[in-house]
Amino acid sequence: MTNQEDKELITENELQLTADVLVIGGGPAAAWAASAAASQGVKVIIVDKGFLGTSGAAAASGNGIMAPSPENWEKVVSERYRVAKDLANLRWIERVVEKTWLSLPLVESWGYRFPKENGESVRQSYYGPEYMRILRKHLLRVGVQILDQSPALELLLAEDGSVAGARGVQRQHHRAYTVRAGAVVLANGGCAFLSKALGCNTNTGDGMLMAVEAGGELSSMEASNHYAISTAFNATVTRGVPFGWASYTDEEGNDLGGYINGRRDPSFLPNALMKGPVYARLDRASSEVKAVVEKSHFIAFLPYKKAGIDPYTERVPVTLVFEGTVRGTGGIRIINDSCGTKVPGLYAAGDAASREFLAGLASGGGGPNAAWAISTGQWAGEGAAAFAKSLGIHANERVVRPAGQVGLRSPMAGRSPSQSSTSETFDSEAIARAVQSEIFPLEKNYLRSEQKLLDSLAKLETLWQQVKGNPKQDTVRDMEFSRRAAALTAVARWAYFSALHRQETRSEHIRVDYPETDPNQLYYQATGGLDRLWVRRDWIKDEIGTPSVLTTQTTYSVSKS
C-alpha cells in the first residue's frame, strides 16, 4: 500500500463509535476495569495497542499475586507498609489486599484453574497467557466490544473540561477511529522506554501524556527507575527470583558476595556492573528449590535451555534491564477511592496509575502490582460507569475537542500553525534512542545527582522542542510512532524533574548528593506540565502546619552556569 493510499484511508474511512465507558489498555487492569464497568449495565468498549490477551507484561509470563488468606492480612499489610518507608497508605494497602482476595474466585468461576492443595484452590499466582485468555473470553461473554491493534493517541474533552472519549488509529484497517464516551479509564501501562523487557514494549507512557494534556497530574515520578536482572546473552526475561540462589563472580572468577543476612542485596548488582562484567551461577539452589522455581518461573529458564546452558553449574553474564515505571511506582495521580483523576470522568488503573499508596517509592513489582491491577481496575471501572450514568442519555452528544498537543497533526486534529506540511519532520526513532541514552545508563539514573539530572534535563528539553515540531504521519504507523516519541520524551522529563526536587535517598530514588533518608520529607510529589514543568509537595504528615510547597520552573533553566 502506498503512502498516498494510506492517507486517503485514514481521512476518508474513519471509524466512529460510542460507548458509556471507554477503557484504554489491554492488560489485567484494563480487563478488570472493562468487566467491572460492564457489570453496572453500561456499554463498554476497550481499545488495545496489541491483541488483548497476548500483549503486555502480564501475558508474557507467570506472576505472583498479593492475595493472602484473611488470617495473614495483618502481617502482609504491615510488611508492605514497612517496605514503603512511611510513604504508603495503610487503608489503601488493606483495600487492595481484601479486594484482590475476594476477586480471585471470580477468575476461577470464569474458567481459570488454580492449582489445588488438599482440595483447596491456591490463588497465589497466575500463568499469564492462560489468565489473560480467560479474561478476554469473559469480556466477550459479557458484551464488551474489543478493538485490537488499535492504539489510542489522544483524549477528547467536553466544553466543561470533562473527558468525552478518545481518538486513535487501527493498524490493520489503516484508518483512524473515534470513540465518544461518557467516561474513560486509562489502564495502558507504565513506561519501560522500549528497553525490550519481556512484554513491556507496549508500555511507552502514552496514558501519562494523555492524562497531563487533559489537565491531569502525575505523582511519585521520581520512583521511575527500576532495573531488573536478566541474563546478558538474552536481555529480555526479567524474572529475578532464580537469582536469589546465585553466586556472583567477576571476570576472573572472584567471589563478589551480593547478599546481606542471606538475602540478595538489591544495590549490589548495579554497583558491581558499573565496575565491570558480573557473572552468576545458580549453585546455591537445593533440589527442592530448583523444582519449585523452575515450575513457577519457567520462562526464566528458557534462555538457558535454548543456549544449551546449565545455570546450576555454568557461569553466565548478567545485566540489568530498565523497567522504568512498570515495576517502579510513578504514574497518574489518583484522587479518590474510585481511582478518579483530577479530570472529571477520567480514571486510572494498574501500572498507568501511581502506586504510591501501595508502595511508597519502592517497587511493587510482582505480587503487589498484580493485586493493584485487579483492585484498581475494578474500582476505576465502577467509578467510570457511575460517572457515565450521571451524565444521562445525551452524554455522547456533547461538543468535544481533541486534547492531544504534541506529536500529532491533521488528520487527527488541527495542531500548531508552526506544523507546516512542508516543513521537515522529526525522526521518531532517533528521538526514542536519544531519550534512552539519558534514561538507561546506571550512572545517570540509578545513582542520581543534581548536576547529572540537570544535564539530562537540558538534553531532554532539546528533544521536547523537536517533538513539538512537525511529525511524520503519512501512515498509521507514523502516527503511532510520532506520538510514542512524544510520550517517551515527556515521561523522561517528568521523572527527572521530580527526581531533581526530592533531595534525599528513599527506596529506589537514590541521590548520591543526598545519601540519607530524610524523615521530614513525608510527602508525595505531584508533577505535570508540558512546556512548563512543575512539582508540588502533597504532605502525608504535617504536624507543624507547613503549607504545601509549589515549585515551578521551566526546563529552559535547568542547566547551571
Side-chain angles (χ1 to χ4, degrees), residues 535-546:
V535 164
R536 182 186 68 242
R537 295 176 180 176
D538 291 335
W539 292 89
I540 298 173
K541 297 177 181 179
D542 193 5
E543 297 176 356
I544 60 174
T546 305

Side-chain angles (χ1 to χ4, degrees), residues 116-335:
K116 302 277 188 179
E117 284 187 10
N118 300 320
E120 298 291 329
S121 295
V122 180
R123 307 183 187 106
Q124 298 298 311
S125 64
Y126 61 73
Y127 173 53
E130 179 64 8
Y131 177 65
M132 290 307 303
R133 186 188 72 83
I134 292 295
L135 289 178
R136 180 186 179 94
K137 185 177 179 180
H138 166 69
L139 293 181
L140 293 173
R141 187 164 53 240
V142 298
V144 173
Q145 183 177 357
I146 301 173
L147 300 185
D148 297 305
Q149 305 296 329
S150 301
L153 299 182
E154 65 177 336
L155 294 175
L156 300 175
L157 296 179
E159 292 178 307
D160 63 358
S162 62
V163 75
R167 281 175 164 171
V169 290
Q170 291 192 293
R171 298 193 195 104
Q172 293 174 326
H173 298 288
H174 302 279
R175 66 185 177 188
Y177 71 83
T178 296
V179 178
R180 298 284 297 272
V184 174
V185 178
L186 289 172
N188 46 351
C191 187
F193 294 91
L194 301 174
S195 65
K196 298 184 180 179
L198 189 65
C200 291
N201 266 25
T202 54
N203 300 150
T204 52
D206 315 325
M208 286 180 264
L209 178 57
M210 284 190 271
V212 171
E213 288 176 329
E217 299 177 342
L218 309 179
S219 195
S220 293
M221 287 302 292
E222 65 270 32
S224 57
N225 59 334
H226 186 82
Y227 293 84
I229 190 171
S230 174
T231 60
F233 62 85
N234 185 5
T236 181
V237 178
T238 55
R239 290 295 177 266
V241 171
F243 290 102
W245 286 273
S247 295
Y248 297 95
T249 53
D250 62 14
E251 189 86 59
E252 288 74 34
N254 300 309
D255 183 23
L256 295 175
Y259 291 86
I260 298 177
N261 297 325
R263 302 187 68 177
R264 186 156 61 90
D265 175 11
S267 67
F268 153 73
L269 189 55
N271 286 295
L273 283 169
M274 283 188 280
K275 297 176 183 177
V278 177
Y279 295 80
R281 180 167 54 220
L282 309 184
D283 54 2
R284 295 162 59 98
S286 66
S287 57
E288 292 80 7
V289 167
K290 293 177 184 178
V292 172
V293 172
E294 287 188 24
K295 182 178 180 180
S296 59
H297 294 272
F298 69 93
I299 197 166
F301 292 88
L302 289 180
Y304 298 116
K305 292 180 179 178
K306 289 183 177 181
I309 295 172
D310 180 356
Y312 303 109
T313 62
E314 298 178 57
R315 294 197 315 159
V316 297
V318 292
T319 189
L320 287 170
V321 176
F322 191 66
E323 293 183 322
T325 72
V326 174
R327 284 200 197 178
T329 297
I332 301 166
R333 178 173 171 259
I334 53 180
I335 64 171

